[in-house]
Amino acid sequence: MDIGLVLQTDPPAQTVVDRMAHAEELGFTHGWTFDSHLLWQEPYVIYPRILERTSRMVVGPMVTNPATRDWTVIASLHATLNSMFGNRTICGIGRGDSAVRVQGRPPTTLGRLEASMHVIRELAEGRAVDLEGTTVQIPWVPDGAALPVWMAGYGPKALDLVGRAADGFILQLADPYLVEWTVKSVRAAAEAAGRDPAEITICVAAPAYVSEDLGHARDQCRWFGGMVGNHVADLVTRYGEASAAVPAALTGYIKDRDGYDYAHHGRAGNASTTFVPDEVVDRFCLLGPPAAQRERLAELQALGVDQFAVYAMHDAVDATVEAYGTEVIPGLA
């Protein structure tokens, strides 16, 4: 199983670069960042600094979206970085959360997301695409260019789209029951579309906090349930509170949710996330000593997960990264 590191691009950017470089030394394979340009610093100007400091790490957004960035610009950004550093970037993409909602805009449609994934991949790999009747192509993309496009999502229609059109699936929670449900849905959609389900890479992304103090760890990671709750609220609106289409294990916990303040998005102590109960934090996140981390990772791996990406947004970022590098990653199969 690969292990990735997900950081917010808080200033100073040099700290993000240094942490990613050290993470590669510790065995992390992927370096991801949030992409929410009004809340944090612009990630795409930081990626080349990370790529310069590393030799193997694959870098990209978790996740960008097709509403705040022009699709052709996303493709050109990745193609440029890949031409400079080899095929070492990846494009995580979704309908949009904080990047668009903080502007008072809704997430984009799945139809637009599907179209954008096609355009981004084709252009970044040097092929021509039709954009509303105009054929466009990036002429300088070298032979052999490759850009995996991994899609994030939760609901049935999103999982169907992943199976039909994405190179990888990003699930932002680590509950084994929900991992199993979503992975089965993605693979069924891939098979129905005539694809080999095994070709879709499965990535689970969630906070990890290595500590014996579970109470403190929960409090530091409770924000994550609130973040996921933004997407879950959309599902409840679409499918209802008691729907056979979406498991209650995903939707049931938001019944006491009362709005969300993006000023504290992805931050420990976010007051908008107090509704998240301890049992949800325990299910969605990886908390506890290294042995407990390895045990959950083994369970996820058995469900078909290819990568676990550590959301490091709490008061023990460096300690958790170090613990993963010295005590968790070496013990993985």
Side-chain angles (χ1 to χ4, degrees), residues 232-233 235-256:
V232 172
L235 295 178
V236 171
T237 299
R238 184 173 296 111
Y239 296 102
E241 293 184 4
S243 170
V246 184
L250 177 60
T251 60
Y253 79 98
I254 70 162
K255 60 181 181 300
D256 295 323

PDB file of all heavy atoms in Angstrom, residues 232-233 235-256:
ATOM      1  N   VAL A 232     -22.156  15.191   2.464  1.00  0.00           N
ATOM      2  CA  VAL A 232     -23.255  14.338   2.905  1.00  0.00           C
ATOM      3  C   VAL A 232     -24.565  15.117   2.890  1.00  0.00           C
ATOM      4  O   VAL A 232     -25.614  14.580   2.508  1.00  0.00           O
ATOM      5  CB  VAL A 232     -22.966  13.776   4.313  1.00  0.00           C
ATOM      6  CG1 VAL A 232     -24.186  13.051   4.861  1.00  0.00           C
ATOM      7  CG2 VAL A 232     -21.756  12.841   4.275  1.00  0.00           C
ATOM      8  N   ALA A 233     -24.520  16.390   3.275  1.00  0.00           N
ATOM      9  CA  ALA A 233     -25.730  17.213   3.252  1.00  0.00           C
ATOM     10  C   ALA A 233     -26.297  17.306   1.837  1.00  0.00           C
ATOM     11  O   ALA A 233     -27.524  17.299   1.638  1.00  0.00           O
ATOM     12  CB  ALA A 233     -25.427  18.602   3.806  1.00  0.00           C
ATOM     13  N   LEU A 235     -26.034  14.970  -0.395  1.00  0.00           N
ATOM     14  CA  LEU A 235     -26.651  13.672  -0.672  1.00  0.00           C
ATOM     15  C   LEU A 235     -28.020  13.558  -0.017  1.00  0.00           C
ATOM     16  O   LEU A 235     -28.957  13.017  -0.612  1.00  0.00           O
ATOM     17  CB  LEU A 235     -25.740  12.543  -0.178  1.00  0.00           C
ATOM     18  CG  LEU A 235     -24.385  12.393  -0.869  1.00  0.00           C
ATOM     19  CD1 LEU A 235     -23.593  11.258  -0.228  1.00  0.00           C
ATOM     20  CD2 LEU A 235     -24.558  12.150  -2.361  1.00  0.00           C
ATOM     21  N   VAL A 236     -28.136  14.049   1.210  1.00  0.00           N
ATOM     22  CA  VAL A 236     -29.423  14.008   1.905  1.00  0.00           C
ATOM     23  C   VAL A 236     -30.445  14.849   1.161  1.00  0.00           C
ATOM     24  O   VAL A 236     -31.613  14.462   1.014  1.00  0.00           O
ATOM     25  CB  VAL A 236     -29.263  14.477   3.364  1.00  0.00           C
ATOM     26  CG1 VAL A 236     -30.627  14.653   4.018  1.00  0.00           C
ATOM     27  CG2 VAL A 236     -28.430  13.469   4.148  1.00  0.00           C
ATOM     28  N   THR A 237     -30.032  15.994   0.671  1.00  0.00           N
ATOM     29  CA  THR A 237     -30.929  16.839  -0.112  1.00  0.00           C
ATOM     30  C   THR A 237     -31.403  16.122  -1.368  1.00  0.00           C
ATOM     31  O   THR A 237     -32.579  16.216  -1.756  1.00  0.00           O
ATOM     32  CB  THR A 237     -30.228  18.153  -0.508  1.00  0.00           C
ATOM     33  OG1 THR A 237     -29.869  18.855   0.682  1.00  0.00           O
ATOM     34  CG2 THR A 237     -31.128  19.026  -1.360  1.00  0.00           C
ATOM     35  N   ARG A 238     -30.493  15.384  -1.973  1.00  0.00           N
ATOM     36  CA  ARG A 238     -30.813  14.725  -3.241  1.00  0.00           C
ATOM     37  C   ARG A 238     -31.610  13.430  -3.034  1.00  0.00           C
ATOM     38  O   ARG A 238     -32.545  13.143  -3.780  1.00  0.00           O
ATOM     39  CB  ARG A 238     -29.518  14.413  -4.004  1.00  0.00           C
ATOM     40  CG  ARG A 238     -29.743  13.798  -5.390  1.00  0.00           C
ATOM     41  CD  ARG A 238     -28.435  13.679  -6.157  1.00  0.00           C
ATOM     42  NE  ARG A 238     -27.856  14.994  -6.421  1.00  0.00           N
ATOM     43  CZ  ARG A 238     -26.727  15.446  -5.857  1.00  0.00           C
ATOM     44  NH1 ARG A 238     -26.063  14.694  -4.996  1.00  0.00           N
ATOM     45  NH2 ARG A 238     -26.272  16.636  -6.145  1.00  0.00           N
ATOM     46  N   TYR A 239     -31.232  12.636  -2.031  1.00  0.00           N
ATOM     47  CA  TYR A 239     -31.812  11.305  -1.887  1.00  0.00           C
ATOM     48  C   TYR A 239     -32.746  11.165  -0.694  1.00  0.00           C
ATOM     49  O   TYR A 239     -33.438  10.152  -0.574  1.00  0.00           O
ATOM     50  CB  TYR A 239     -30.685  10.263  -1.760  1.00  0.00           C
ATOM     51  CG  TYR A 239     -29.823  10.145  -2.990  1.00  0.00           C
ATOM     52  CD1 TYR A 239     -28.562  10.734  -3.029  1.00  0.00           C
ATOM     53  CD2 TYR A 239     -30.270   9.463  -4.119  1.00  0.00           C
ATOM     54  CE1 TYR A 239     -27.754  10.632  -4.160  1.00  0.00           C
ATOM     55  CE2 TYR A 239     -29.464   9.354  -5.253  1.00  0.00           C
ATOM     56  CZ  TYR A 239     -28.215   9.946  -5.268  1.00  0.00           C
ATOM     57  OH  TYR A 239     -27.431   9.845  -6.378  1.00  0.00           O
ATOM     58  N   GLY A 240     -32.748  12.129   0.212  1.00  0.00           N
ATOM     59  CA  GLY A 240     -33.573  12.032   1.412  1.00  0.00           C
ATOM     60  C   GLY A 240     -32.800  11.463   2.578  1.00  0.00           C
ATOM     61  O   GLY A 240     -31.723  10.883   2.423  1.00  0.00           O
ATOM     62  N   GLU A 241     -33.356  11.626   3.772  1.00  0.00           N
ATOM     63  CA  GLU A 241     -32.667  11.184   4.991  1.00  0.00           C
ATOM     64  C   GLU A 241     -32.626   9.667   5.129  1.00  0.00           C
ATOM     65  O   GLU A 241     -31.698   9.115   5.689  1.00  0.00           O
ATOM     66  CB  GLU A 241     -33.363  11.793   6.215  1.00  0.00           C
ATOM     67  CG  GLU A 241     -33.220  13.303   6.316  1.00  0.00           C
ATOM     68  CD  GLU A 241     -33.827  13.846   7.591  1.00  0.00           C
ATOM     69  OE1 GLU A 241     -34.287  13.045   8.424  1.00  0.00           O
ATOM     70  OE2 GLU A 241     -33.859  15.080   7.747  1.00  0.00           O
ATOM     71  N   ALA A 242     -33.633   8.992   4.660  1.00  0.00           N
ATOM     72  CA  ALA A 242     -33.677   7.527   4.749  1.00  0.00           C
ATOM     73  C   ALA A 242     -33.809   6.966   3.343  1.00  0.00           C
ATOM     74  O   ALA A 242     -34.901   6.782   2.824  1.00  0.00           O
ATOM     75  CB  ALA A 242     -34.852   7.076   5.617  1.00  0.00           C
ATOM     76  N   SER A 243     -32.675   6.733   2.713  1.00  0.00           N
ATOM     77  CA  SER A 243     -32.669   6.296   1.320  1.00  0.00           C
ATOM     78  C   SER A 243     -31.898   4.997   1.179  1.00  0.00           C
ATOM     79  O   SER A 243     -30.821   4.834   1.771  1.00  0.00           O
ATOM     80  CB  SER A 243     -32.043   7.371   0.430  1.00  0.00           C
ATOM     81  OG  SER A 243     -31.824   6.880  -0.869  1.00  0.00           O
ATOM     82  N   ALA A 244     -32.424   4.094   0.383  1.00  0.00           N
ATOM     83  CA  ALA A 244     -31.723   2.844   0.107  1.00  0.00           C
ATOM     84  C   ALA A 244     -30.498   3.084  -0.761  1.00  0.00           C
ATOM     85  O   ALA A 244     -29.613   2.229  -0.850  1.00  0.00           O
ATOM     86  CB  ALA A 244     -32.671   1.866  -0.581  1.00  0.00           C
ATOM     87  N   ALA A 245     -30.430   4.261  -1.396  1.00  0.00           N
ATOM     88  CA  ALA A 245     -29.325   4.550  -2.313  1.00  0.00           C
ATOM     89  C   ALA A 245     -28.034   4.900  -1.584  1.00  0.00           C
ATOM     90  O   ALA A 245     -26.941   4.726  -2.123  1.00  0.00           O
ATOM     91  CB  ALA A 245     -29.712   5.689  -3.254  1.00  0.00           C
ATOM     92  N   VAL A 246     -28.160   5.406  -0.347  1.00  0.00           N
ATOM     93  CA  VAL A 246     -26.988   5.861   0.401  1.00  0.00           C
ATOM     94  C   VAL A 246     -27.053   5.279   1.812  1.00  0.00           C
ATOM     95  O   VAL A 246     -28.067   5.427   2.494  1.00  0.00           O
ATOM     96  CB  VAL A 246     -26.936   7.399   0.483  1.00  0.00           C
ATOM     97  CG1 VAL A 246     -25.663   7.841   1.186  1.00  0.00           C
ATOM     98  CG2 VAL A 246     -27.024   8.020  -0.908  1.00  0.00           C
ATOM     99  N   PRO A 247     -25.996   4.626   2.292  1.00  0.00           N
ATOM    100  CA  PRO A 247     -26.033   4.004   3.624  1.00  0.00           C
ATOM    101  C   PRO A 247     -26.233   5.021   4.742  1.00  0.00           C
ATOM    102  O   PRO A 247     -25.678   6.129   4.704  1.00  0.00           O
ATOM    103  CB  PRO A 247     -24.652   3.341   3.740  1.00  0.00           C
ATOM    104  CG  PRO A 247     -24.148   3.223   2.351  1.00  0.00           C
ATOM    105  CD  PRO A 247     -24.720   4.372   1.595  1.00  0.00           C
ATOM    106  N   ALA A 248     -27.003   4.631   5.739  1.00  0.00           N
ATOM    107  CA  ALA A 248     -27.198   5.485   6.908  1.00  0.00           C
ATOM    108  C   ALA A 248     -25.889   5.718   7.648  1.00  0.00           C
ATOM    109  O   ALA A 248     -25.732   6.732   8.340  1.00  0.00           O
ATOM    110  CB  ALA A 248     -28.224   4.850   7.840  1.00  0.00           C
ATOM    111  N   ALA A 249     -24.930   4.805   7.486  1.00  0.00           N
ATOM    112  CA  ALA A 249     -23.623   4.974   8.128  1.00  0.00           C
ATOM    113  C   ALA A 249     -22.906   6.211   7.608  1.00  0.00           C
ATOM    114  O   ALA A 249     -22.015   6.745   8.272  1.00  0.00           O
ATOM    115  CB  ALA A 249     -22.758   3.740   7.893  1.00  0.00           C
ATOM    116  N   LEU A 250     -23.303   6.671   6.419  1.00  0.00           N
ATOM    117  CA  LEU A 250     -22.723   7.883   5.854  1.00  0.00           C
ATOM    118  C   LEU A 250     -23.545   9.118   6.173  1.00  0.00           C
ATOM    119  O   LEU A 250     -23.004  10.184   6.479  1.00  0.00           O
ATOM    120  CB  LEU A 250     -22.585   7.734   4.329  1.00  0.00           C
ATOM    121  CG  LEU A 250     -22.062   8.945   3.561  1.00  0.00           C
ATOM    122  CD1 LEU A 250     -20.666   9.331   4.054  1.00  0.00           C
ATOM    123  CD2 LEU A 250     -22.027   8.648   2.065  1.00  0.00           C
ATOM    124  N   THR A 251     -24.861   8.998   6.135  1.00  0.00           N
ATOM    125  CA  THR A 251     -25.713  10.185   6.227  1.00  0.00           C
ATOM    126  C   THR A 251     -26.289  10.458   7.615  1.00  0.00           C
ATOM    127  O   THR A 251     -26.657  11.591   7.923  1.00  0.00           O
ATOM    128  CB  THR A 251     -26.887  10.062   5.245  1.00  0.00           C
ATOM    129  OG1 THR A 251     -27.664   8.895   5.584  1.00  0.00           O
ATOM    130  CG2 THR A 251     -26.400   9.943   3.817  1.00  0.00           C
ATOM    131  N   GLY A 252     -26.381   9.431   8.454  1.00  0.00           N
ATOM    132  CA  GLY A 252     -27.130   9.572   9.708  1.00  0.00           C
ATOM    133  C   GLY A 252     -26.571  10.579  10.683  1.00  0.00           C
ATOM    134  O   GLY A 252     -27.319  11.213  11.434  1.00  0.00           O
ATOM    135  N   TYR A 253     -25.251  10.799  10.675  1.00  0.00           N
ATOM    136  CA  TYR A 253     -24.644  11.604  11.733  1.00  0.00           C
ATOM    137  C   TYR A 253     -24.856  13.107  11.564  1.00  0.00           C
ATOM    138  O   TYR A 253     -24.565  13.886  12.478  1.00  0.00           O
ATOM    139  CB  TYR A 253     -23.147  11.300  11.836  1.00  0.00           C
ATOM    140  CG  TYR A 253     -22.271  11.981  10.801  1.00  0.00           C
ATOM    141  CD1 TYR A 253     -21.586  13.165  11.102  1.00  0.00           C
ATOM    142  CD2 TYR A 253     -22.102  11.437   9.531  1.00  0.00           C
ATOM    143  CE1 TYR A 253     -20.772  13.781  10.179  1.00  0.00           C
ATOM    144  CE2 TYR A 253     -21.288  12.052   8.601  1.00  0.00           C
ATOM    145  CZ  TYR A 253     -20.615  13.220   8.923  1.00  0.00           C
ATOM    146  OH  TYR A 253     -19.812  13.830   7.987  1.00  0.00           O
ATOM    147  N   ILE A 254     -25.360  13.558  10.408  1.00  0.00           N
ATOM    148  CA  ILE A 254     -25.459  15.011  10.202  1.00  0.00           C
ATOM    149  C   ILE A 254     -26.801  15.579  10.655  1.00  0.00           C
ATOM    150  O   ILE A 254     -27.088  16.753  10.400  1.00  0.00           O
ATOM    151  CB  ILE A 254     -25.208  15.393   8.731  1.00  0.00           C
ATOM    152  CG1 ILE A 254     -26.362  14.920   7.838  1.00  0.00           C
ATOM    153  CG2 ILE A 254     -23.878  14.862   8.244  1.00  0.00           C
ATOM    154  CD1 ILE A 254     -26.392  15.614   6.489  1.00  0.00           C
ATOM    155  N   LYS A 255     -27.607  14.796  11.354  1.00  0.00           N
ATOM    156  CA  LYS A 255     -28.953  15.259  11.722  1.00  0.00           C
ATOM    157  C   LYS A 255     -28.927  16.520  12.581  1.00  0.00           C
ATOM    158  O   LYS A 255     -29.858  17.322  12.555  1.00  0.00           O
ATOM    159  CB  LYS A 255     -29.717  14.142  12.436  1.00  0.00           C
ATOM    160  CG  LYS A 255     -29.095  13.636  13.727  1.00  0.00           C
ATOM    161  CD  LYS A 255     -29.933  12.511  14.312  1.00  0.00           C
ATOM    162  CE  LYS A 255     -29.351  11.996  15.628  1.00  0.00           C
ATOM    163  NZ  LYS A 255     -27.988  11.464  15.470  1.00  0.00           N
ATOM    164  N   ASP A 256     -27.853  16.713  13.348  1.00  0.00           N
ATOM    165  CA  ASP A 256     -27.750  17.895  14.203  1.00  0.00           C
ATOM    166  C   ASP A 256     -26.862  18.980  13.601  1.00  0.00           C
ATOM    167  O   ASP A 256     -26.526  19.959  14.274  1.00  0.00           O
ATOM    168  CB  ASP A 256     -27.211  17.504  15.583  1.00  0.00           C
ATOM    169  CG  ASP A 256     -28.179  16.594  16.337  1.00  0.00           C
ATOM    170  OD1 ASP A 256     -29.391  16.800  16.208  1.00  0.00           O
ATOM    171  OD2 ASP A 256     -27.707  15.685  17.050  1.00  0.00           O
TER     172      ASP A 256
END
